[in-house]
Amino acid sequence: MTASSPSSPPVVIIGGGPAGLMAAEVLALAGVKVELFDAMPSVGRKFLLAGVGGMNITHAEAKSAFVGRYGPRAGELGELLRDFDAEQLRAWIHGLGIDTFVGTSGRVFPTDMKAAPLLRAWLKRLREHGVVIHTRQRWLGWHADGRLRIAGADGEQLIDARATVLALGGGSWARLGSDGAWQPLLAERGVPLVPLQPSNCGFEVAAWSAVFQDKFAGAPVKSCAIALPGQPPRLGEFVVTAHGVEGSLVYALSAPIREAINAHGNATVHLDLLPQKTPEQVLALLHKPRGSKSLSNHLRSALGLDGVRAGLLRELTDAATFTNEAKLAQAIKALPLTLVRTRPLDEAISSAGGVPFEAVDKRLMLTQLPGVFCAGEMLDWEAPTGGYLLTACFASGRAAGLGVLAWLNRAEMELSC
Ligand SMILES: Cc1cc2nc3c(=O)[nH]c(=O)nc-3n(C[C@H](O)[C@H](O)[C@H](O)COP(=O)(O)OP(=O)(O)OC[C@H]3O[C@@H](n4cnc5c(N)ncnc54)[C@H](O)[C@@H]3O)c2cc1C
Protein backbone atom coordinates (compact mmCIF):
# COMPACT_ATOMS: atom_id res chain seq x y z
CA MET A 1 0.00 0.00 0.00
CA THR A 2 2.90 2.35 0.69
CA ALA A 3 4.57 1.30 -2.57
CA SER A 4 5.05 4.25 -4.94
CA SER A 5 2.92 4.87 -8.00
CA PRO A 6 4.96 5.91 -11.05
CA SER A 7 3.78 9.51 -10.67
CA SER A 8 4.34 9.91 -6.93
CA PRO A 9 7.38 11.82 -5.74
CA PRO A 10 10.24 9.77 -4.29
CA VAL A 11 11.22 9.32 -0.70
CA VAL A 12 14.46 11.28 -0.52
CA ILE A 13 17.47 10.13 1.47
CA ILE A 14 20.19 12.72 2.05
CA GLY A 15 23.53 11.12 2.83
CA GLY A 16 24.96 7.88 1.45
CA GLY A 17 26.79 6.51 4.46
CA PRO A 18 25.76 3.22 6.07
CA ALA A 19 22.72 4.81 7.77
CA GLY A 20 21.32 6.41 4.60
CA LEU A 21 22.00 3.37 2.44
CA MET A 22 20.26 1.12 4.97
CA ALA A 23 17.19 3.38 5.04
CA ALA A 24 17.20 3.30 1.23
CA GLU A 25 17.30 -0.49 1.21
CA VAL A 26 14.36 -0.90 3.60
CA LEU A 27 12.25 1.46 1.51
CA ALA A 28 13.26 0.10 -1.88
CA LEU A 29 12.54 -3.49 -0.80
CA ALA A 30 9.05 -2.32 0.18
CA GLY A 31 8.52 -1.05 -3.36
CA VAL A 32 8.95 2.64 -2.55
CA LYS A 33 10.61 4.93 -5.08
CA VAL A 34 13.85 6.14 -3.45
CA GLU A 35 16.28 8.80 -4.55
CA LEU A 36 19.47 9.31 -2.56
CA PHE A 37 21.54 12.49 -2.74
CA ASP A 38 25.10 12.83 -1.50
CA ALA A 39 27.41 15.83 -1.64
CA MET A 40 30.50 13.75 -2.40
CA PRO A 41 31.57 12.28 -5.76
CA SER A 42 30.74 8.79 -4.40
CA VAL A 43 28.85 7.36 -1.44
CA GLY A 44 30.18 5.47 1.59
CA ARG A 45 33.53 7.25 1.82
CA LYS A 46 33.84 7.10 5.59
CA PHE A 47 32.63 3.51 5.55
CA LEU A 48 35.46 2.72 3.13
CA LEU A 49 37.96 4.52 5.35
CA ALA A 50 36.73 2.50 8.32
CA GLY A 51 37.72 -0.56 6.28
CA VAL A 52 41.29 0.57 5.75
CA GLY A 53 42.76 -0.73 9.01
CA GLY A 54 40.40 -3.74 9.07
CA MET A 55 36.64 -3.28 8.90
CA ASN A 56 35.36 -3.94 12.41
CA ILE A 57 31.68 -4.02 11.63
CA THR A 58 30.12 -5.22 14.87
CA HIS A 59 30.87 -7.10 18.09
CA ALA A 60 29.95 -10.58 19.30
CA GLU A 61 29.60 -9.85 23.02
CA ALA A 62 26.37 -10.53 24.93
CA LYS A 63 23.53 -8.21 24.06
CA SER A 64 23.29 -6.52 27.47
CA ALA A 65 27.02 -5.68 27.44
CA PHE A 66 26.72 -4.54 23.82
CA VAL A 67 23.86 -2.18 24.54
CA GLY A 68 25.69 -0.85 27.63
CA ARG A 69 28.41 0.53 25.31
CA TYR A 70 26.04 3.34 24.35
CA GLY A 71 26.23 4.72 27.91
CA PRO A 72 23.53 7.27 28.67
CA ARG A 73 21.81 6.42 25.36
CA ALA A 74 21.71 2.66 25.99
CA GLY A 75 17.92 2.86 26.36
CA GLU A 76 17.33 4.40 22.94
CA LEU A 77 19.97 2.33 21.15
CA GLY A 78 18.68 -0.80 22.90
CA GLU A 79 15.29 -0.14 21.28
CA LEU A 80 16.86 0.28 17.84
CA LEU A 81 19.01 -2.83 18.26
CA ARG A 82 16.01 -4.89 19.32
CA ASP A 83 14.98 -4.95 15.67
CA PHE A 84 18.46 -5.19 14.18
CA ASP A 85 21.22 -6.40 16.46
CA ALA A 86 24.76 -7.64 15.84
CA GLU A 87 23.51 -11.12 14.87
CA GLN A 88 21.00 -9.73 12.38
CA LEU A 89 23.64 -7.40 11.00
CA ARG A 90 25.95 -10.37 10.43
CA ALA A 91 23.15 -12.31 8.73
CA TRP A 92 22.49 -9.29 6.51
CA ILE A 93 26.20 -9.10 5.55
CA HIS A 94 26.18 -12.82 4.75
CA GLY A 95 23.16 -12.14 2.55
CA LEU A 96 25.37 -9.86 0.48
CA GLY A 97 27.71 -12.81 -0.12
CA ILE A 98 30.32 -11.57 2.37
CA ASP A 99 31.41 -13.89 5.16
CA THR A 100 32.35 -12.64 8.63
CA PHE A 101 34.49 -13.91 11.49
CA VAL A 102 34.81 -13.15 15.19
CA GLY A 103 38.31 -12.03 16.22
CA THR A 104 39.89 -12.99 19.53
CA SER A 105 38.64 -9.77 21.13
CA GLY A 106 35.05 -10.54 20.08
CA ARG A 107 35.18 -7.95 17.32
CA VAL A 108 33.46 -9.02 14.10
CA PHE A 109 35.10 -8.46 10.71
CA PRO A 110 34.30 -9.36 7.10
CA THR A 111 36.53 -12.32 6.22
CA ASP A 112 38.77 -10.25 3.98
CA MET A 113 38.72 -7.35 6.55
CA LYS A 114 37.74 -4.94 3.78
CA ALA A 115 34.79 -2.58 3.31
CA ALA A 116 34.97 -2.17 -0.48
CA PRO A 117 33.60 -5.60 -1.56
CA LEU A 118 30.70 -5.22 0.87
CA LEU A 119 29.88 -1.71 -0.34
CA ARG A 120 30.13 -2.83 -3.98
CA ALA A 121 27.73 -5.75 -3.44
CA TRP A 122 25.36 -3.52 -1.47
CA LEU A 123 25.23 -0.74 -4.06
CA LYS A 124 24.58 -3.33 -6.78
CA ARG A 125 21.62 -4.67 -4.80
CA LEU A 126 20.28 -1.18 -4.13
CA ARG A 127 20.46 -0.24 -7.79
CA GLU A 128 18.78 -3.52 -8.78
CA HIS A 129 15.92 -2.53 -6.48
CA GLY A 130 15.59 0.82 -8.19
CA VAL A 131 17.39 3.14 -5.75
CA VAL A 132 18.62 6.14 -7.73
CA ILE A 133 21.84 7.59 -6.34
CA HIS A 134 22.79 11.18 -7.17
CA THR A 135 26.32 12.20 -6.20
CA ARG A 136 27.87 15.68 -6.03
CA GLN A 137 24.46 16.93 -4.91
CA ARG A 138 24.46 18.96 -1.72
CA TRP A 139 21.34 19.43 0.34
CA LEU A 140 20.96 23.08 1.39
CA GLY A 141 17.79 22.91 3.47
CA TRP A 142 14.20 23.65 2.49
CA HIS A 143 12.63 26.15 0.12
CA ALA A 144 9.78 28.25 1.58
CA ASP A 145 7.29 25.91 -0.14
CA GLY A 146 8.70 22.87 1.72
CA ARG A 147 10.65 21.37 -1.17
CA LEU A 148 14.23 20.27 -0.65
CA ARG A 149 16.98 22.53 -1.99
CA ILE A 150 19.67 20.46 -3.70
CA ALA A 151 22.71 22.07 -5.32
CA GLY A 152 24.88 20.42 -7.97
CA ALA A 153 27.20 21.49 -10.76
CA ASP A 154 24.18 22.59 -12.84
CA GLY A 155 22.83 24.84 -10.11
CA GLU A 156 20.10 24.39 -7.57
CA GLN A 157 17.00 22.24 -7.99
CA LEU A 158 13.92 21.94 -5.80
CA ILE A 159 12.84 18.39 -5.03
CA ASP A 160 9.44 17.28 -3.87
CA ALA A 161 9.69 14.39 -1.40
CA ARG A 162 7.01 12.07 0.02
CA ALA A 163 9.23 11.86 3.11
CA THR A 164 12.89 12.60 3.79
CA VAL A 165 15.58 10.72 5.68
CA LEU A 166 18.54 12.80 6.80
CA ALA A 167 21.59 10.60 7.34
CA LEU A 168 24.28 13.28 7.18
CA GLY A 169 26.87 11.80 9.53
CA GLY A 170 28.66 13.50 12.41
CA GLY A 171 31.31 16.18 12.26
CA SER A 172 34.65 14.44 11.83
CA TRP A 173 36.71 13.82 8.70
CA ALA A 174 34.89 16.58 6.81
CA ARG A 175 36.82 15.73 3.65
CA LEU A 176 34.83 12.49 3.45
CA GLY A 177 31.54 14.41 3.46
CA SER A 178 30.43 14.49 7.10
CA ASP A 179 31.11 18.17 7.76
CA GLY A 180 28.32 18.91 10.23
CA ALA A 181 27.12 21.75 7.97
CA TRP A 182 23.57 20.47 8.48
CA GLN A 183 23.44 21.87 12.01
CA PRO A 184 22.29 25.44 11.16
CA LEU A 185 19.83 24.05 8.57
CA LEU A 186 18.02 22.12 11.30
CA ALA A 187 18.49 24.77 13.99
CA GLU A 188 16.77 27.39 11.85
CA ARG A 189 13.76 25.06 11.60
CA GLY A 190 13.53 24.89 15.37
CA VAL A 191 15.17 21.47 15.85
CA PRO A 192 17.07 21.44 19.16
CA LEU A 193 20.68 20.31 18.78
CA VAL A 194 23.44 19.19 21.10
CA PRO A 195 26.77 20.68 19.87
CA LEU A 196 28.97 18.14 18.08
CA GLN A 197 32.04 17.12 20.08
CA PRO A 198 34.92 14.75 19.39
CA SER A 199 34.46 11.14 20.49
CA ASN A 200 37.04 8.36 20.20
CA CYS A 201 39.59 11.13 19.97
CA GLY A 202 43.07 12.10 21.09
CA PHE A 203 43.84 14.61 23.84
CA GLU A 204 46.42 17.33 24.36
CA VAL A 205 48.66 18.06 27.33
CA ALA A 206 49.50 21.69 28.15
CA ALA A 207 52.93 21.09 26.55
CA TRP A 208 55.45 18.29 26.43
CA SER A 209 59.01 19.42 27.01
CA ALA A 210 60.90 19.90 23.74
CA VAL A 211 63.26 17.02 24.62
CA PHE A 212 60.42 14.59 25.33
CA GLN A 213 58.45 15.66 22.27
CA ASP A 214 61.48 15.29 19.98
CA LYS A 215 62.35 11.89 21.32
CA PHE A 216 58.97 10.24 21.84
CA ALA A 217 56.28 11.81 19.60
CA GLY A 218 54.84 8.84 17.72
CA ALA A 219 56.05 6.24 20.22
CA PRO A 220 53.55 3.50 21.16
CA VAL A 221 53.13 2.76 24.88
CA LYS A 222 52.32 -0.92 25.07
CA SER A 223 50.83 -2.80 27.97
CA CYS A 224 49.99 0.18 30.13
CA ALA A 225 46.90 0.94 32.20
CA ILE A 226 45.05 4.21 32.53
CA ALA A 227 42.84 4.99 35.51
CA LEU A 228 40.26 7.74 35.71
CA PRO A 229 39.50 9.10 39.17
CA GLY A 230 37.29 6.65 41.06
CA GLN A 231 37.44 4.01 38.33
CA PRO A 232 39.45 0.78 37.99
CA PRO A 233 42.46 1.03 35.65
CA ARG A 234 41.99 -0.11 32.10
CA LEU A 235 44.70 -2.02 30.29
CA GLY A 236 45.68 -1.35 26.69
CA GLU A 237 47.94 0.63 24.40
CA PHE A 238 48.22 4.26 23.45
CA VAL A 239 50.54 6.48 21.46
CA VAL A 240 52.40 9.59 22.56
CA THR A 241 51.82 12.35 20.00
CA ALA A 242 53.46 15.74 19.47
CA HIS A 243 50.61 17.32 21.43
CA GLY A 244 49.49 14.65 23.87
CA VAL A 245 48.14 11.12 23.59
CA GLU A 246 45.91 9.08 21.27
CA GLY A 247 45.21 5.44 20.40
CA SER A 248 42.80 2.70 21.37
CA LEU A 249 43.12 2.94 25.16
CA VAL A 250 42.68 6.72 25.07
CA TYR A 251 39.73 6.45 22.65
CA ALA A 252 38.02 3.96 24.94
CA LEU A 253 38.18 6.51 27.76
CA SER A 254 37.50 9.55 25.60
CA ALA A 255 33.93 10.27 26.71
CA PRO A 256 34.65 10.57 30.47
CA ILE A 257 37.96 12.40 29.85
CA ARG A 258 36.21 14.88 27.54
CA GLU A 259 33.38 15.39 30.02
CA ALA A 260 35.87 15.98 32.88
CA ILE A 261 37.66 18.59 30.74
CA ASN A 262 34.30 20.22 29.92
CA ALA A 263 33.44 20.37 33.60
CA HIS A 264 36.78 21.29 35.17
CA GLY A 265 39.00 22.65 32.38
CA ASN A 266 41.32 19.64 32.54
CA ALA A 267 41.33 15.94 33.41
CA THR A 268 44.03 14.10 35.30
CA VAL A 269 44.33 10.39 34.54
CA HIS A 270 46.84 8.04 36.17
CA LEU A 271 49.13 5.83 34.12
CA ASP A 272 50.19 2.49 35.52
CA LEU A 273 53.50 1.86 33.75
CA LEU A 274 53.85 -1.66 35.18
CA PRO A 275 50.30 -3.02 35.40
CA GLN A 276 51.49 -6.63 35.85
CA LYS A 277 53.28 -5.76 39.10
CA THR A 278 51.79 -4.79 42.45
CA PRO A 279 52.99 -1.59 44.18
CA GLU A 280 54.83 -3.81 46.69
CA GLN A 281 56.64 -5.71 43.93
CA VAL A 282 57.64 -2.44 42.26
CA LEU A 283 59.00 -1.10 45.54
CA ALA A 284 60.89 -4.34 46.22
CA LEU A 285 62.47 -4.22 42.75
CA LEU A 286 63.46 -0.59 43.19
CA HIS A 287 65.02 -1.52 46.51
CA LYS A 288 67.30 -4.17 45.02
CA PRO A 289 70.95 -3.19 45.34
CA ARG A 290 72.07 -1.54 42.11
CA GLY A 291 75.80 -1.31 42.73
CA SER A 292 77.40 1.20 40.41
CA LYS A 293 74.45 1.21 37.99
CA SER A 294 72.74 4.51 37.24
CA LEU A 295 69.09 4.75 38.29
CA SER A 296 68.06 4.68 34.61
CA ASN A 297 69.95 1.43 34.10
CA HIS A 298 68.47 0.03 37.28
CA LEU A 299 64.95 0.92 36.13
CA ARG A 300 65.67 -0.82 32.84
CA SER A 301 67.31 -3.96 34.16
CA ALA A 302 65.31 -4.51 37.36
CA LEU A 303 61.88 -3.27 36.26
CA GLY A 304 62.00 -3.37 32.47
CA LEU A 305 61.23 0.36 32.37
CA ASP A 306 62.91 2.04 29.44
CA GLY A 307 62.14 3.94 26.23
CA VAL A 308 58.92 5.91 26.21
CA ARG A 309 57.71 4.56 29.56
CA ALA A 310 60.89 5.72 31.29
CA GLY A 311 60.55 8.97 29.34
CA LEU A 312 57.03 9.50 30.66
CA LEU A 313 58.23 8.87 34.19
CA ARG A 314 60.90 11.57 33.81
CA GLU A 315 58.54 13.96 32.03
CA LEU A 316 55.70 13.72 34.51
CA THR A 317 57.57 13.70 37.85
CA ASP A 318 59.99 16.09 39.51
CA ALA A 319 63.63 15.35 40.27
CA ALA A 320 62.87 14.79 43.97
CA THR A 321 60.72 11.76 43.15
CA PHE A 322 63.80 10.00 41.79
CA THR A 323 65.54 10.34 45.15
CA ASN A 324 62.74 8.65 47.09
CA GLU A 325 62.02 4.98 46.34
CA ALA A 326 58.53 5.00 47.84
CA LYS A 327 57.53 8.06 45.82
CA LEU A 328 59.10 6.62 42.69
CA ALA A 329 57.23 3.33 43.13
CA GLN A 330 54.01 5.26 43.57
CA ALA A 331 54.70 7.31 40.43
CA ILE A 332 55.39 4.16 38.40
CA LYS A 333 52.02 2.71 39.47
CA ALA A 334 49.97 5.94 39.28
CA LEU A 335 51.69 8.56 37.16
CA PRO A 336 49.47 11.64 36.90
CA LEU A 337 48.94 12.87 33.34
CA THR A 338 46.90 16.04 32.94
CA LEU A 339 44.99 16.47 29.69
CA VAL A 340 43.74 19.92 28.84
CA ARG A 341 41.75 19.61 25.63
CA THR A 342 40.54 17.19 22.97
CA ARG A 343 42.19 17.11 19.59
CA PRO A 344 40.03 18.86 16.95
CA LEU A 345 36.67 17.30 16.06
CA ASP A 346 37.75 16.77 12.46
CA GLU A 347 40.44 14.30 13.56
CA ALA A 348 38.14 12.21 15.74
CA ILE A 349 36.92 8.74 14.75
CA SER A 350 33.37 9.78 15.58
CA SER A 351 31.40 12.58 17.13
CA ALA A 352 29.07 12.93 20.09
CA GLY A 353 26.18 15.37 20.02
CA GLY A 354 23.79 16.12 17.18
CA VAL A 355 20.04 15.59 17.08
CA PRO A 356 18.90 14.49 20.55
CA PHE A 357 16.52 11.54 20.82
CA GLU A 358 14.13 13.94 22.58
CA ALA A 359 13.71 15.73 19.23
CA VAL A 360 12.53 12.60 17.38
CA ASP A 361 9.74 10.14 17.98
CA LYS A 362 10.14 6.37 18.33
CA ARG A 363 10.37 6.07 14.55
CA LEU A 364 13.14 8.70 14.40
CA MET A 365 10.89 11.35 12.85
CA LEU A 366 11.64 14.94 13.91
CA THR A 367 8.71 16.21 15.94
CA GLN A 368 9.40 19.72 14.59
CA LEU A 369 9.36 18.52 10.98
CA PRO A 370 6.78 15.81 10.30
CA GLY A 371 7.88 13.53 7.46
CA VAL A 372 11.60 14.18 8.10
CA PHE A 373 13.55 11.36 9.75
CA CYS A 374 17.13 11.22 11.11
CA ALA A 375 19.55 8.30 11.26
CA GLY A 376 23.17 7.43 11.95
CA GLU A 377 25.90 9.39 13.61
CA MET A 378 24.02 12.70 13.33
CA LEU A 379 21.83 11.49 16.21
CA ASP A 380 23.16 12.26 19.68
CA TRP A 381 24.77 9.05 20.88
CA GLU A 382 28.33 7.85 21.18
CA ALA A 383 30.08 4.55 21.68
CA PRO A 384 33.64 3.25 21.78
CA THR A 385 35.27 1.64 18.77
CA GLY A 386 34.63 -2.09 18.43
CA GLY A 387 31.92 -2.13 15.76
CA TYR A 388 29.37 -0.33 17.95
CA LEU A 389 29.42 2.79 15.76
CA LEU A 390 28.57 1.06 12.50
CA THR A 391 26.03 -1.25 14.15
CA ALA A 392 24.13 1.77 15.50
CA CYS A 393 24.29 3.47 12.10
CA PHE A 394 22.87 0.41 10.33
CA ALA A 395 20.19 -0.13 13.01
CA SER A 396 19.08 3.50 13.05
CA GLY A 397 19.05 3.64 9.24
CA ARG A 398 16.81 0.60 9.23
CA ALA A 399 14.56 2.11 11.91
CA ALA A 400 14.26 5.35 9.94
CA GLY A 401 13.35 3.40 6.77
CA LEU A 402 10.68 1.47 8.68
CA GLY A 403 9.55 4.73 10.25
CA VAL A 404 9.03 6.25 6.80
CA LEU A 405 7.01 3.20 5.72
CA ALA A 406 4.76 3.56 8.78
CA TRP A 407 4.42 7.30 8.13
CA LEU A 408 3.47 6.78 4.46
CA ASN A 409 1.04 4.07 5.49
CA ARG A 410 -0.63 6.31 8.03
CA ALA A 411 -0.82 9.24 5.61
CA GLU A 412 -2.50 6.99 3.01
CA MET A 413 -4.98 5.64 5.55
CA GLU A 414 -5.89 9.19 6.55
CA LEU A 415 -6.41 10.11 2.89
CA SER A 416 -8.68 7.12 2.28
CA CYS A 417 -10.89 7.91 5.33
C1 LIG B 1 39.21 6.48 10.58
C2 LIG B 1 37.86 5.90 10.96
C3 LIG B 1 37.75 4.55 11.23
C4 LIG B 1 36.52 4.01 11.62
N1 LIG B 1 36.44 2.68 11.89
C5 LIG B 1 35.28 2.14 12.32
C6 LIG B 1 35.17 0.75 12.60
O1 LIG B 1 36.11 -0.02 12.38
N2 LIG B 1 33.98 0.29 13.10
C7 LIG B 1 32.91 1.13 13.32
O2 LIG B 1 31.87 0.65 13.80
N3 LIG B 1 32.96 2.43 12.97
C8 LIG B 1 34.11 2.96 12.49
N4 LIG B 1 34.17 4.29 12.17
C9 LIG B 1 32.96 5.13 12.31
C10 LIG B 1 31.96 4.93 11.14
O3 LIG B 1 32.64 4.94 9.91
C11 LIG B 1 30.91 6.03 11.19
O4 LIG B 1 30.29 6.04 12.47
C12 LIG B 1 29.82 5.83 10.11
O5 LIG B 1 30.38 5.89 8.82
C13 LIG B 1 28.73 6.90 10.22
O6 LIG B 1 27.73 6.56 9.30
P1 LIG B 1 26.62 7.61 8.85
O7 LIG B 1 25.84 6.94 7.76
O8 LIG B 1 25.89 8.12 10.02
O9 LIG B 1 27.44 8.84 8.26
P2 LIG B 1 28.62 8.95 7.20
O10 LIG B 1 29.21 7.63 6.91
O11 LIG B 1 29.50 10.01 7.72
O12 LIG B 1 27.88 9.44 5.89
C14 LIG B 1 27.24 10.70 5.81
C15 LIG B 1 27.05 11.04 4.35
O13 LIG B 1 26.26 12.23 4.27
C16 LIG B 1 26.77 13.03 3.24
N5 LIG B 1 26.37 14.42 3.49
C17 LIG B 1 26.65 15.17 4.61
N6 LIG B 1 26.09 16.40 4.47
C18 LIG B 1 25.45 16.41 3.27
C19 LIG B 1 24.67 17.39 2.58
N7 LIG B 1 24.41 18.59 3.10
N8 LIG B 1 24.15 17.07 1.37
C20 LIG B 1 24.37 15.85 0.83
N9 LIG B 1 25.10 14.88 1.43
C21 LIG B 1 25.63 15.17 2.65
C22 LIG B 1 28.25 12.81 3.27
O14 LIG B 1 28.87 13.13 2.04
C23 LIG B 1 28.36 11.33 3.63
O15 LIG B 1 28.44 10.52 2.49
C24 LIG B 1 35.38 4.85 11.73
C25 LIG B 1 35.49 6.21 11.43
C26 LIG B 1 36.71 6.74 11.05
C27 LIG B 1 36.81 8.22 10.73
Side-chain angles (χ1 to χ4, degrees), residues 61-79 81-82 85 382-383 388:
E61 71 187 349
K63 194 152 182 178
S64 58
F66 193 111
V67 170
R69 305 289 177 180
Y70 299 96
R73 291 307 191 177
E76 288 86 354
L77 269 298
E79 282 292 306
L81 294 169
R82 214 162 39 131
D85 64 8
E382 66 179 312
Y388 309 104

Side-chain angles (χ1 to χ4, degrees), residues 221-226 233-237 249 271-283 285 302-305 309 332-334:
V221 184
K222 302 210 167 169
S223 182
C224 184
I226 299 184
R234 201 171 164 137
L235 193 63
E237 294 185 18
L249 180 55
L271 309 181
D272 183 346
L273 299 176
L274 292 175
Q276 286 80 15
K277 296 199 168 26
T278 65
E280 295 73 27
Q281 287 170 328
V282 171
L283 190 57
L285 288 168
L303 290 101
L305 263 185
R309 284 187 299 164
I332 290 169
K333 289 299 289 176

Side-chain angles (χ1 to χ4, degrees), residues 63-64 66-67 70 73-89 362-363 391-392 394-396 398-399 402:
K63 194 152 182 178
S64 58
F66 193 111
V67 170
Y70 299 96
R73 291 307 191 177
E76 288 86 354
L77 269 298
E79 282 292 306
L80 297 175
L81 294 169
R82 214 162 39 131
D83 281 349
F84 198 68
D85 64 8
E87 268 310 301
Q88 284 154 302
L89 174 55
K362 287 238 177 281
R363 299 183 186 281
T391 306
F394 285 117
S396 61
R398 188 166 183 278
L402 292 171

Side-chain angles (χ1 to χ4, degrees), residues 14-21 37-40 42-51 54-58 107 109 137-140 150 167-170 172-173 176-182 185 347-350 375-378 381 384-391 393 396:
I14 315 279
L21 293 173
F37 295 83
D38 198 292
M40 298 303 285
S42 58
V43 295
R45 292 194 162 206
K46 195 181 261 187
F47 183 68
L48 289 174
L49 177 75
M55 156 113 305
N56 175 202
I57 205 148
T58 189
R107 290 173 182 232
F109 303 88
Q137 301 289 320
R138 174 169 284 276
W139 172 66
L140 298 177
I150 307 273
L168 304 162
S172 73
W173 290 73
L176 302 179
S178 43
D179 56 12
W182 48 268
L185 303 178
E347 285 181 16
I349 300 242
S350 58
E377 208 181 301
M378 70 180 293
W381 54 271
T385 56
Y388 309 104
L389 299 166
L390 283 172
T391 306
C393 292
S396 61

